Amino acid sequence: MSVSLSKDLQQKYNVRAMPVRKDDEVQVVRGIYKNREGKVTACYRRKYIIHVERITRDKANGAQVNVGVQPSNCVITKLKLDKDRKKILERKALGRTRKKEDAAATTTIASSSAMANVD
């Protein structure tokens, strides 16, 4: 379940999205709970939802239960980094830089070959 990174994290790590996990801090950007922030307390892969710390509702008997939020409606504002996640960030950033370099190289090759055929 991947979640988009916030704009400042996207610029910092050169990555658009990361798989969400427990202890990441997210902000809900769509839906009923828009603009709510909190720490992820649980990720249910089977239901494709995440539970965020302060997003709850009251049951009829007065008990509070967590409300599931779609990960696509959230943005990660703070990552919990460990060695594995740092590797993922480095790998994704490297792939994005290579893709940009390849795109620049193909456009210069295409423009030079097009000009060679003008004569």
Side-chain angles (χ1 to χ4, degrees):
M1 293 188 294
S2 289
V3 177
S4 298
L5 295 180
S6 63
K7 295 291 182 189
D8 56 334
L9 288 179
Q10 284 182 16
Q11 288 183 345
K12 182 177 179 181
Y13 296 115
N14 196 22
V15 174
R16 286 180 55 98
M18 282 287 290
V20 69
R21 65 175 281 185
K22 188 177 175 180
D23 294 330
D24 283 345
E25 291 185 21
V26 297
Q27 178 181 11
V28 181
V29 291
R30 287 181 215 87
I32 300 169
Y33 302 103
K34 185 175 182 175
N35 296 327
R36 295 268 194 99
E37 289 189 49
K39 192 176 279 193
V40 176
T41 57
C43 295
Y44 283 99
R45 292 173 61 183
R46 185 173 183 183
K47 295 181 184 179
Y48 205 77
I49 59 168
I50 58 174
H51 287 185
V52 182
E53 206 167 52
R54 290 181 286 276
I55 299 180
T56 59
R57 68 182 299 175
D58 296 328
K59 289 173 58 171
N61 65 2
Q64 285 195 341
V65 293
N66 290 324
V67 176
V69 179
Q70 288 277 328
S72 61
N73 296 338
C74 298
V75 167
I76 296 177
T77 56
K78 188 175 178 186
L79 287 168
K80 181 185 179 190
L81 289 175
D82 59 3
K83 63 177 180 141
D84 294 328
R85 280 192 121 186
K86 286 180 183 175
K87 275 187 192 175
I88 292 170
L89 283 170
E90 290 170 5
R91 189 182 70 228
K92 283 186 151 193
L94 181 66
R96 286 178 64 93
T97 55
R98 281 189 182 160
K99 193 180 271 188
K100 285 181 184 177
E101 290 170 1
D102 290 345
T106 55
T107 56
T108 56
I109 291 169
S111 62
S112 65
S113 64
M115 292 305 289
N117 295 335
V118 171
D119 293 332

